[in-house]
Amino acid sequence: MPDHFDYPIYAYKEMLDEQFPFKIEIRNRSSMNRVLHAHEHLQLCYMMSGSCLHSAAGRQYVLTKGDLFSIPPYQEHRLDPRDDMDFVMIQVDFMPHAVNESLRDMTQMQTFVDFAYIRPLIPETNLMPKITLPPATQSVVENLLGVLLTEWEEREEGYRLAIKAELLRLLVITGRQYKRYVETQSQQERQKVAKHRDAFNEAIAYMRTHFHEDLHLDEVAAKAWMAPSYFSYMLKLTQGKSYIELLSSIRMQASMELLAESALSISEIATRVGYNHISHFNRTFKKHTGVTPGDYRKSGSGMKSSFFP
């Protein structure tokens, strides 16, 4: 997944309210977006009726009633008509913190993360980036989307809370349906998703064991089989921190342990945790802990727990 683009990428702040990054719209033949594009936010789409074509990551798929699919951040896509057929699609655009401020609860919904963020990255054409909901679940999802549309259009008191509740319910339903779908697939196909998920987790583990080296985002993202921008986005989603924030946090934890448990000088510790300049290390340490490395050492190791719970 490269990190250079020949199509527009819409920043979520341009398309969504920064305070409540959520939007729901109805798309049809006359309002579809036929321009190849990508966006920073996640998009979930459900086909209410009819049929159209969806192009994503260089592949084209036929969508029909009952299909639910996701467009992860930075993935290029567009809609096209299918012959002379009309269609009605519900498009839900949101950032994860519209559901949960900390973002981190999303990691407890692994099947949804697999469906929405991992599976669409896999290039094999036999792995369709959509699921077709069974009729009973279609009715549930259509009623749920109807509630979301009403809350969004009328915006009565408490509408944000109501939208969060229904959106979270939609994510849970999606995750459960994807889990049932996966159980019908071959072991080989399940392993493809697992390998991509494992590559992401191994990249994080690599950061935790090689933090003292001169790490670069491009290098670590390649280990995750992701573009740098997407890898940083996934870190924010699952770890609550961007690449730079996570790397700094790992280095600060290691430096605090060395300050408390070793007799190494501060400059030696800075070098050991990956900083070439003592001034940069001192600034970063104070930003993370509120005190200088020297003051931290003087105060004793008992301070660790108050900075990094």
Side-chain angles (χ1 to χ4, degrees):
M1 189 176 179
D3 207 12
H4 56 274
F5 309 101
D6 299 320
Y7 44 83
I9 300 177
Y10 304 133
Y12 88 86
K13 294 179 182 179
E14 297 174 0
M15 301 185 67
L16 307 174
D17 182 344
E18 188 172 356
Q19 298 303 314
F20 186 57
F22 170 89
K23 181 172 64 174
I24 182 168
E25 297 178 299
I26 299 176
R27 296 291 189 187
N28 54 38
R29 190 181 181 94
S30 62
S31 63
M32 73 171 75
N33 189 346
R34 299 185 63 178
V35 176
L36 190 68
H37 67 282
H39 31 68
E40 291 182 337
H41 59 272
L42 177 65
Q43 190 174 88
L44 285 180
C45 299
Y46 174 76
M47 292 291 291
M48 294 286 288
S49 64
S51 180
C52 67
L53 300 176
H54 182 235
S55 298
R59 293 164 285 163
Q60 189 176 74
Y61 307 95
V62 175
L63 300 174
T64 58
K65 175 176 168 41
D67 283 349
L68 178 70
F69 64 98
S70 70
I71 303 298
Y74 304 105
Q75 183 176 83
E76 76 277 16
H77 73 114
R78 74 163 188 247
L79 294 174
D80 286 298
R82 184 186 178 198
D83 301 325
D84 59 350
M85 301 181 71
D86 204 351
F87 69 93
V88 175
M89 173 191 294
I90 306 296
Q91 177 179 301
V92 181
D93 301 274
F94 67 99
M95 293 290 287
H97 59 272
V99 181
N100 184 276
E101 290 296 331
S102 72
L103 301 178
R104 302 189 67 165
D105 280 357
M106 295 289 282
T107 63
Q108 299 176 25
M109 302 171 63
Q110 186 60 60
T111 52
F112 176 79
V113 172
D114 283 352
F115 170 74
Y117 293 98
I118 301 296
R119 197 163 181 260
L121 304 181
I122 300 175
E124 284 83 353
T125 55
N126 60 325
L127 281 181
M128 296 286 283
K130 66 172 186 174
I131 50 178
T132 301
L133 301 180
T137 307
Q138 289 182 32
S139 297
V140 172
V141 169
E142 288 167 13
N143 289 334
L144 189 157
L145 292 171
V147 172
L148 282 173
L149 281 165
T150 300
E151 291 289 348
W152 182 245
E153 291 169 358
E154 297 183 356
R155 305 197 183 193
E156 294 185 14
E157 182 179 356
Y159 79 94
R160 289 186 178 183
L161 289 174
I163 285 175
K164 285 184 179 184
E166 295 299 324
L167 182 56
L168 185 58
R169 188 171 165 231
L170 177 61
L171 303 190
V172 170
I173 290 172
T174 301
R176 289 175 177 175
Q177 288 299 316
Y178 177 65
K179 183 178 181 180
R180 294 186 182 103
Y181 168 82
V182 167
E183 290 170 352
T184 69
Q185 302 304 295
S186 68
Q187 181 68 19
Q188 183 181 12
E189 291 186 2
R190 291 198 296 269
Q191 286 177 344
K192 290 175 182 176
V193 176
K195 284 181 179 179
H196 277 72
R197 187 196 317 123
D198 291 346
F200 174 68
N201 292 331
E202 287 166 7
I204 297 175
Y206 184 85
M207 292 177 67
R208 297 190 185 280
T209 55
H210 292 74
F211 62 86
H212 55 283
E213 299 176 8
D214 185 21
L215 294 184
H216 296 279
L217 174 58
D218 288 5
E219 168 196 358
V220 183
K223 294 182 180 298
W225 303 349
M226 294 176 178
S229 56
Y230 196 75
F231 177 65
S232 192
Y233 179 94
M234 287 296 292
L235 287 178
K236 192 76 174 178
L237 178 75
T238 62
Q239 306 297 308
K241 296 179 176 67
S242 67
Y243 170 77
I244 293 297
E245 291 168 343
L246 180 59
L247 182 58
S248 295
S249 177
I250 294 169
R251 286 172 169 173
M252 288 302 99
Q253 182 63 52
S255 66
M256 290 194 315
E257 291 173 359
L258 288 171
L259 284 166
E261 300 167 6
S262 79
L264 294 172
S265 69
I266 292 175
S267 60
E268 287 176 314
I269 290 174
T271 301
R272 286 204 178 193
V273 300
Y275 290 92
N276 295 322
H277 302 286
I278 186 67
S279 58
H280 184 201
F281 171 74
N282 286 336
R283 285 195 306 271
T284 304
F285 192 93
K286 188 169 184 179
K287 179 180 178 182
H288 276 256
T289 66
V291 297
T292 66
D295 288 341
Y296 178 85
R297 171 170 268 172
K298 291 175 185 177
S299 299
S301 61
M303 296 177 65
K304 282 193 294 184
S305 61
S306 63
F307 296 125
F308 289 84

